[in-house]
Amino acid sequence: MGLWKMGKYIGTHNCEMDTFNRNHFNLDVDLISLQLVPHIEAVITYKIKKCITSIHQEYRCTITKRKAYLGRKRAFEIVYGDWDKSFASLPKYMAALKHFNPGTVVEWKLEQSAGRPEYIFRYVFWAFKPAINGFVHCHLVIFIDGTHVYENFAICANESEKAWMLFLNHLKQHVVKQRSGICLVSDQHDSILSSIEHLLEWKESYAYQRYCVRHMKANFKKKYPNKDLHYLMRMAVTDH
């Protein structure tokens, strides 16, 4: 029978940690999501490419785009909750807005499928009472685009012509009201332009649609990557 003895070696550690390969079973969606949580908390629009880079820096492994997508999705749910719970809490949230901000307007759009008892959420519009009152004292200029609509006045299932028509109708009814001569500034999104064409109250002389210079400049820079042209473009749009 042989003898053995446990000892202790004090020296520089020179063992290399095994790297994960792309399909390593331990590098699953749960592990990826935990690594991405701090990034999602800092930047809600954290890109898939950056997710892949973060995991590579931590584990020296390049994961697939699908794994990055699923990991980011899971991380988003950890930080902000899942979509079902968010939509379930939306009616309570809107009720709280109306309760603590008397005069606030909330308009819902729900649809019911044939033969099914539940309703499908499509759209909600809200306008705070102070914003409604304050608009009376503002210049007759309204800026709209997809991002700003979702953040300030409405949430909808998609940026369609129908959704924009609902939004513009409610904006006219509850905020603009009887005021005319409104300058409506937007990008060149087809759904926005088409909805304006179908709504009499947003046509001249009730309202005037104009294009957003910021969007025009961004599109110009993409098509013509030349600094001198960019300068001339900036001078042209700021000259008036």
Side-chain angles (χ1 to χ4, degrees):
M1 182 176 180
L3 297 176
W4 55 275
K5 178 181 178 180
M6 293 185 65
K8 184 177 182 181
Y9 173 75
I10 301 176
T12 303
H13 181 76
N14 55 15
C15 297
E16 291 189 4
M17 180 181 177
D18 291 339
T19 58
F20 289 111
N21 61 43
R22 182 184 295 254
N23 297 311
H24 197 288
F25 67 91
N26 282 331
L27 193 56
D28 58 9
V29 171
D30 290 329
L31 180 59
I32 293 170
S33 65
L34 292 177
Q35 176 65 26
L36 295 178
V37 162
H39 301 290
I40 298 297
E41 288 177 332
V43 183
I44 194 172
T45 56
Y46 203 64
K47 303 296 185 183
I48 293 294
K49 186 177 180 180
K50 290 186 176 181
C51 293
I52 295 172
T53 301
S54 298
I55 298 302
H56 185 271
Q57 290 174 346
E58 182 68 20
Y59 299 111
R60 289 178 289 172
C61 172
T62 302
I63 59 175
T64 62
K65 287 185 178 180
R66 175 173 172 75
K67 267 193 172 182
Y69 167 79
L70 294 174
R72 185 184 68 170
K73 182 175 180 291
R74 183 74 56 83
F76 192 91
E77 291 173 354
I78 292 172
V79 177
Y80 299 105
D82 60 40
W83 291 110
D84 291 336
K85 291 180 180 178
S86 296
F87 278 118
S89 64
L90 194 57
K92 294 181 180 179
Y93 175 73
M94 290 299 169
L97 288 184
K98 293 180 69 175
H99 176 75
F100 292 104
N101 299 273
T104 292
V105 175
V106 177
E107 296 276 6
W108 293 88
K109 175 64 176 178
L110 305 174
E111 293 181 357
Q112 187 175 23
S113 301
R116 303 189 67 177
E118 66 268 15
Y119 286 85
I120 300 173
F121 170 83
R122 294 299 183 193
Y123 168 94
V124 61
F125 169 96
W126 71 93
F128 293 109
K129 181 61 172 176
I132 296 173
N133 293 342
F135 184 71
V136 176
H137 307 286
C138 294
H139 290 294
L140 300 179
V141 180
I142 298 177
F143 293 83
I144 61 171
D145 66 33
T147 302
H148 294 107
V149 168
Y150 299 153
E151 288 181 352
N152 294 306
F153 283 104
I155 301 173
C156 59
N158 55 66
E159 197 177 347
S160 63
E161 177 185 325
K162 186 176 181 180
W164 276 111
M165 289 180 68
L166 281 169
F167 173 76
L168 291 173
N169 275 329
H170 287 137
L171 188 65
K172 174 66 176 178
Q173 178 184 354
H174 299 297
V175 180
V176 176
K177 298 182 179 180
Q178 303 303 318
R179 302 186 78 184
S180 61
I182 301 292
C183 179
L184 188 67
V185 182
S186 74
D187 59 14
Q188 294 178 298
H189 196 287
D190 290 340
S191 296
I192 297 177
L193 301 182
S194 180
S195 63
I196 293 173
E197 281 296 315
H198 288 86
L199 297 173
L200 177 63
E201 60 270 26
W202 288 102
K203 291 184 177 180
E204 299 184 7
S205 60
Y206 300 104
Y208 302 85
Q209 191 274 328
R210 297 294 183 265
Y211 293 128
C212 173
V213 171
R214 181 175 63 84
H215 286 93
M216 290 177 62
K217 184 179 177 182
N219 293 334
F220 186 86
K221 289 178 69 175
K222 288 180 181 179
K223 189 169 184 179
Y224 304 104
N226 181 284
K227 290 184 178 181
D228 293 333
L229 290 178
H230 298 169
Y231 173 77
L232 292 174
M233 170 68 174
R234 183 171 63 86
M235 294 299 293
V237 299
T238 59
D239 183 59
H240 182 64

